[in-house]
Amino acid sequence: MAEAYDTAVALHCPLGPITFAASLQVDGCIPNAFIQEHSLGIHYNVGAEFTDYLVDPLIFKYADGYVGIPPGSGPGIELNEKVVREAGRIGYSWKNPVWRNKDGSLAEW
């Protein structure tokens, strides 16, 4: 529908490598893709970067502000099953950070 109304699309993907690869695949299929948001290298991924779960983390290598669409079938990535299983064993305990402005008021994303 966005294309029908001449509106750009900016997919947002703060999740893992599968959803990011799928988002890139969608970007490559629609003429109105404008930008791809992601969480690669952001502060809240410390110790759990989504490329940690890939056999080849360089599949999402950026050059001049661009990332390529992963080649190959499906989403074009290969997960490191051992790392994924270990992460599942440990579990996930991330909590949304609470930020405050200098005056004490609540700041949000």
Side-chain angles (χ1 to χ4, degrees):
M1 285 308 303
E3 182 185 1
Y5 287 94
D6 196 28
T7 301
V9 172
L11 295 176
H12 177 68
C13 182
L15 305 172
I18 297 171
T19 53
F20 185 58
S23 294
L24 291 174
Q25 297 291 342
V26 171
D27 288 334
C29 295
I30 60 174
N32 53 330
F34 170 67
I35 193 169
Q36 173 63 61
E37 297 179 287
H38 64 84
S39 63
L40 186 62
I42 200 163
H43 58 88
Y44 58 74
N45 285 348
V46 174
E49 187 67 67
F50 71 73
T51 54
D52 295 346
Y53 302 102
L54 298 172
V55 169
D56 178 13
L58 295 178
I59 195 84
F60 296 134
K61 182 177 181 229
Y62 277 74
D64 298 323
Y66 293 90
V67 63
I69 298 169
S73 61
I77 60 171
E78 184 179 356
L79 295 176
N80 184 330
E81 187 175 342
K82 181 179 177 184
V83 173
V84 171
R85 287 187 183 276
E86 179 62 15
R89 186 188 68 72
I90 293 169
Y92 190 67
S93 64
W94 185 82
K95 302 286 189 278
N96 189 28
V98 176
W99 294 305
R100 301 242 176 230
N101 294 315
K102 289 181 181 180
D103 65 359
S105 63
L106 184 64
E108 189 53 71
W109 304 87

